[in-house]
Amino acid sequence: MKRYLLFIVVGLVFSGCEKPSEDIVLRRISDVVVDASSDPTLKANALFYNPNDMRGKLKKIKVDIYVNGKKAGHVDQDLKTKIPAKAEFTVPLEVKLALKELGFMNTVLGMIGG
């Protein structure tokens, strides 16, 4: 009996660890604010849609952003955003702009447009 119970518990644990079947989709970027201080940043809200039946949690974002092949910015954030199943969710983003490569206006316009 114990052997069957152990088999059932192990089966339940592994069946709960499946990967989402579809990718999360970026719907739009809104509320864009540019801070042109000595450490220029771009703050915005990104609206995503999760088409999967599973919910989750977004704990960290670490992304380099490129515009026309040149590094335009970097995102490195710790978050506690809940990702609901089959629903939209918003992620606040704070992008540290790399102005040395592209220049201020090209970086901002490229990121807003792309």
Side-chain angles (χ1 to χ4, degrees):
M1 184 68 178
K2 289 182 182 180
R3 181 184 277 171
Y4 294 115
L5 183 59
L6 178 63
F7 180 72
I8 291 171
V9 169
V10 169
L12 287 173
V13 168
F14 284 118
S15 68
C17 298
E18 65 184 74
K19 292 173 72 173
S21 59
E22 297 182 52
D23 290 338
I24 292 176
V25 179
L26 173 65
R27 291 253 168 116
R28 72 175 175 269
I29 303 287
S30 63
D31 304 325
V32 178
V33 177
V34 179
D35 178 12
S37 63
S38 61
D39 187 22
T41 58
L42 184 139
K43 295 179 182 180
N45 289 319
L47 181 69
F48 291 94
Y49 175 71
N50 178 12
N52 299 295
D53 292 329
M54 298 183 329
R55 58 191 168 111
K57 184 182 273 190
L58 179 61
K59 295 181 181 179
K60 186 168 184 76
I61 298 175
K62 190 169 185 175
V63 178
D64 288 327
I65 300 168
Y66 290 86
V67 175
N68 296 329
K70 296 181 181 178
K71 187 174 178 179
H74 179 75
V75 180
D76 189 0
Q77 289 178 243
D78 292 322
L79 302 166
K80 292 181 181 176
T81 303
K82 292 182 180 179
I83 301 173
K86 294 203 177 270
E88 292 182 338
F89 62 98
T90 302
V91 177
L93 297 176
E94 188 170 317
V95 181
K96 295 178 183 167
L97 300 174
L99 302 179
K100 294 175 185 171
E101 291 284 328
L102 293 174
F104 182 73
M105 287 308 291
N106 287 340
T107 300
V108 173
L109 292 175
M111 291 188 63
I112 291 173

